[in-house]
Amino acid sequence: QVQLVESGGGLVQAGGSLRLSCAASRSTFSSAAMGWFRQAPGKEREFVAAISWSGNTYYADSVKGRFTISRDNAGNTVYLQMNSLKPEDTAVYYCARRTVPSLGSAPSEYTYWGQGTQVTVSS
């Protein structure tokens, strides 16, 4: 069962930008808060950003001012605009659905994880 599909990853130089997309099924996306996580090799999965159905946002300190999460409710898609990328941002990026409308960073509060998209930032 494929409910979330991430895309838009790639190789970019430090200081560059990428825009990730997460296409969700209608049943997965509708009325749900959504989030982005990332996982680098040998590291635990790390919260990046979350967005409520109405557009309220919440960011990890490490990406504040550089990343922007947004959503297109009509298109069942959530985005992550990543600017001023750093080598430390290199990871597989995942999107997921929150199980409650409120915003939070704990992975246990999310479900229906996508397969991920690789982001590599060179120095």
Side-chain angles (χ1 to χ4, degrees):
Q1 184 180 29
V2 179
Q3 296 171 300
L4 298 171
V5 179
E6 301 94 338
S7 62
L11 175 64
V12 64
Q13 293 184 342
S17 299
L18 285 172
R19 189 191 194 198
L20 307 184
S21 298
C22 175
S25 66
R26 182 179 60 190
S27 60
T28 297
F29 191 86
S30 184
S31 301
M34 303 288 293
W36 285 95
F37 285 75
R38 64 188 183 186
Q39 188 166 27
K43 299 286 188 177
E44 65 183 15
R45 189 162 295 188
E46 176 188 25
F47 171 77
V48 176
I51 186 167
S52 72
W53 176 255
S54 61
N56 297 120
T57 58
Y58 174 59
Y59 297 93
D61 288 342
S62 60
V63 305
K64 285 181 180 177
R66 299 189 298 122
F67 291 10
T68 302
I69 188 170
S70 62
R71 66 192 298 161
D72 175 5
N73 290 345
N76 299 329
T77 304
V78 62
Y79 302 97
L80 185 68
Q81 178 67 46
M82 305 185 295
N83 298 326
S84 301
L85 283 163
K86 305 174 181 179
E88 307 95 276
D89 296 318
T90 295
V92 177
Y93 283 71
Y94 302 89
C95 67
R97 184 191 197 275
R98 283 188 60 78
T99 58
V100 294
S102 60
L103 299 181
S105 61
S108 61
E109 297 174 350
Y110 293 80
T111 190
Y112 301 133
W113 300 86
Q115 294 297 305
T117 185
Q118 176 71 49
V119 172
T120 303
V121 184
S122 63
S123 60

